[in-house]
Amino acid sequence: MVTALLWIPATIAAAAAQTLRNAMQRSLTDVLGTVGATQVRFLYGFPFALIFLGLVTAVTGEGLPAPGAGFLAFVTAGALAQIAATALMLAAMRREGFAVTIAYTKSEPVQVALFGLIVLGDRLTMLGAGAVVVATLGVVMMSVKPGSRLTSLARGGPALAGIASGACFALAAIGFRGAILALPEGSFLVRATTTLVFGLGIQTLVLLAYLALFDRGALIGSFRAWRPSLFAGFMGALASQFWFVGFSLTSAANVRTLALVEVFFAQIAARRLFAQSASRREIAGMLLVCLGVAMLFAAQ
């Protein structure tokens, strides 16, 4: 029972680490561009993932599970979807507030629940499904500004980029959970960390190749800005480690719904780092998110 509930503190820790990583990447976007700042979390995170795997295998005494074709297909799909999600999120942040962009991406849980049911057969209880809907409504309340019209999404802009980012993050979550489940052996911790290493390895290779061919300036700039990039990479790897532990223990929909607590961390970061404050409407949305999270806990 204790192990089964570890996904809860793991998810909260992941959300906190991810907020710090997002804030650091946001500051790097102006210097390195969207793709350059995107690759920082992968290039500088990969060595930390290898360290995590070494520590996990040393502590558990387990060997590495053998990856099969199913694992490689899932982890590759998850890795590519996460690259697209991160790039879209950072692009939206350049035109919209930090906290509001994070809120746009949090349309993700509904999409995760749908993709999880279709691809992995992960089912939610009625209360769990209600938690997803209530929490997502809270995010919508935070995101839609007074006087705005939903038809404005058709014209593009940061809202559309943020929602598309959420869809890609949803596909990434399903891909990574599918990869973890596809490994034939190992404890939840070893399978989660093995998936992390493969995912970050693929992402690092893809983005290094892209930048070397199409944007060498951003690649060289990321090496010059190694100090903030190193911190962003570490926080990204740490967040992913906790995300993957959560995915190994429960459905992706549960993890990504609880991950909505990130909107609170994002508000703190927005206030402290970017001098952006929350309105009454956004606070009301946060309360709905709290209710959704409480319903999720009750469903467990």
Side-chain angles (χ1 to χ4, degrees):
M1 175 64 73
V2 174
T3 300
L5 294 178
L6 279 177
W7 71 271
I8 296 175
T11 299
I12 294 173
Q18 181 162 291
T19 300
L20 291 174
R21 186 210 70 208
N22 287 341
M24 182 58 66
Q25 281 187 288
R26 168 63 182 84
S27 65
L28 287 169
T29 302
D30 295 334
V31 178
L32 304 178
T34 299
V35 179
T38 298
Q39 67 91 29
V40 160
R41 65 171 291 189
F42 306 122
L43 174 64
Y44 287 90
F46 182 57
F48 291 109
L50 292 173
I51 293 172
F52 295 161
L53 183 60
L55 291 174
V56 165
T57 54
V59 170
T60 62
E62 298 181 54
L64 298 179
F71 168 83
L72 293 175
F74 272 119
V75 76
T76 300
L80 296 179
Q82 193 174 50
I83 290 175
T86 304
L88 286 166
M89 179 188 69
L90 292 176
M93 282 181 180
R94 298 188 74 172
R95 298 177 57 188
E96 186 60 270
F98 177 80
V100 174
T101 298
I102 295 300
Y104 281 136
T105 67
K106 294 311 172 187
S107 59
E108 174 192 359
V110 172
Q111 301 177 76
V112 170
L114 179 61
F115 294 149
L117 177 63
I118 295 172
V119 178
L120 303 176
D122 285 340
R123 297 181 180 275
L124 294 177
T125 64
M126 289 297 294
L127 186 57
V132 172
V133 173
V134 169
T136 302
L137 286 175
V139 171
V140 171
M141 181 178 292
M142 293 175 61
S143 305
V144 179
K145 298 178 181 179
S148 64
R149 295 182 299 176
L150 293 179
T151 54
S152 66
L153 294 177
R155 297 195 296 269
L160 187 58
I163 293 171
S165 173
C168 290
F169 274 126
L171 291 171
I174 297 305
F176 290 136
R177 174 162 165 78
I180 291 169
L181 296 177
L183 287 174
E185 57 191 8
S187 65
F188 72 91
L189 192 56
V190 169
R191 288 184 289 117
T193 312
T194 299
T195 303
L196 173 63
V197 167
F198 272 87
L200 282 177
I202 292 169
Q203 291 162 332
T204 299
L205 289 175
V206 169
L207 284 172
L208 280 177
Y210 176 86
L211 290 174
L213 290 173
F214 302 107
D215 197 348
R216 293 185 182 179
L219 181 59
I220 294 172
S222 69
F223 292 138
R224 289 174 178 169
W226 65 270
R227 289 185 179 178
S229 297
L230 192 65
F231 178 74
F234 170 72
M235 296 311 300
L238 185 64
S240 294
Q241 176 70 63
F242 284 121
W243 288 133
F244 286 19
V245 168
F247 293 151
S248 69
L249 294 172
T250 189
S251 71
N254 283 341
V255 172
R256 300 311 290 173
T257 300
L258 179 56
L260 292 175
V261 298
E262 186 183 348
V263 298
F264 301 105
F265 300 141
Q267 286 291 345
I268 294 172
R271 181 181 293 272
R272 296 293 180 87
L273 301 179
F274 305 118
Q276 300 166 359
S277 60
S279 66
R280 292 182 178 178
R281 173 182 46 79
E282 289 170 337
I283 293 173
M286 290 185 206
L287 293 176
L288 272 182
V289 172
C290 286
L291 175 60
V293 170
M295 292 170 63
L296 181 65
F297 285 156
Q300 300 306 306

